Amino acid sequence: MRRTMAGLLASAAGLVLVAGCALPDHRQSSTGQGGSSASAEPSFVPKAPVPSGKPLGPDAQVPDPGAVDDSDPTSVSQVWAEMTYSYDTKYDKSPHDAVLRAVRWCSKRKAAAERSYQAASGPGADWNTWAQHRAWTTVNVSVESEELEDDAPQDTEKVAHRSLVVEGKAHGRDGWTGDGPRLTAYTKLVRSAVGQPWRVDDVIVVEAVAPPSPGDSATPAADPSAQ
């Protein structure tokens, strides 16, 4: 499923209201899942925060970003996405451990929000599957150049937008393989002045919809003419 950059940015204000915070980011999808109104009473008792992961060992399967051109918003957005969605469940307790590895490419505002974030629930079914196999994820990050040309706001001296497609694979240490993160991330980058480094400041995520399995197919309706 693809959405235009303009459509997502136009709905950003609505996402803020749904999420009940000032920073719609990669944790908040365009469907509003996981968010709640700031005025709504919680319908559950919050769980204990998910603990942080272990320090990475020599066998950790986490990418080395190498040198990144901070003067190029495309390069910054891509390395942010690669690091944010590259997990190693042998060491990471949740996706947020990878998020924290990527805050070096975030604005001060977003980095502070990520460091103070505490999840109220577990990391989800996909993560649990990966963890059963002690899997790590690798991701391919590409820029939707067509949308950048036709639909995205034009870059200014201090603000840029990039639309990224993330396609991931999971690799188990037991030989298992499966799907990894699959999503489109609409990123806003900022810098304080010309010549200063670009940093990711806002993100809106549209998660890819997994195709139904054969067992989930609906039974075709009977043809009335055959009766």
Side-chain angles (χ1 to χ4, degrees):
M1 179 178 68
R2 297 177 59 185
R3 294 193 184 184
T4 62
M5 172 75 88
L8 267 294
L9 294 174
S11 65
L15 285 174
V16 172
L17 293 176
V18 171
C21 68
L23 184 64
D25 60 17
H26 62 278
R27 294 186 300 267
Q28 186 65 39
S29 71
S30 68
T31 61
Q33 292 179 347
S36 61
S37 170
S39 61
E41 291 296 329
S43 57
F44 60 92
V45 177
K47 298 180 180 179
V50 176
S52 299
K54 299 181 293 185
L56 298 178
D59 65 335
Q61 300 295 318
V62 174
D64 179 0
V68 178
D69 183 2
D70 288 341
S71 67
D72 177 17
T74 299
S75 296
V76 173
S77 65
Q78 287 182 300
V79 72
W80 169 86
E82 181 183 15
M83 297 302 293
T84 295
Y85 295 104
S86 293
Y87 315 134
D88 189 337
T89 62
K90 179 178 178 180
Y91 295 96
D92 298 336
K93 293 297 184 183
S94 77
H96 196 62
D97 290 313
V99 170
L100 294 178
R101 290 194 287 269
V103 295
R104 72 180 83 171
W105 293 286
C106 293
S107 65
K108 291 182 179 179
R109 179 181 72 122
K110 184 167 178 60
E114 299 296 7
R115 292 186 177 109
S116 63
Y117 174 77
Q118 291 186 337
S121 60
D126 286 342
W127 183 274
N128 292 339
T129 298
W130 301 333
Q132 288 174 3
H133 301 280
R134 297 201 305 167
W136 70 90
T137 62
T138 56
V139 295
N140 178 66
V141 181
S142 58
V143 179
E144 288 195 339
S145 57
E146 177 182 345
E147 290 191 2
L148 288 175
E149 294 175 359
D150 300 339
D151 209 49
Q154 294 296 312
D155 290 353
T156 68
E157 291 185 348
K158 296 183 179 181
V159 179
H161 295 86
R162 295 294 183 269
S163 172
L164 307 174
V165 176
V166 177
E167 297 177 304
K169 291 290 185 181
H171 314 269
R173 284 178 167 83
D174 57 3
W176 172 89
T177 59
D179 288 334
R182 297 172 60 246
L183 54 101
T184 301
Y186 297 89
T187 62
K188 173 187 174 184
L189 300 99
V190 299
R191 61 179 176 179
S192 58
V194 174
Q196 295 300 307
W198 287 100
R199 292 293 181 256
V200 174
D201 189 58
D202 270 335
V203 183
I204 299 172
V205 165
V206 178
E207 296 182 357
V209 178
S213 64
D216 294 334
S217 300
T219 302
D223 184 353
S225 63
Q227 297 179 353

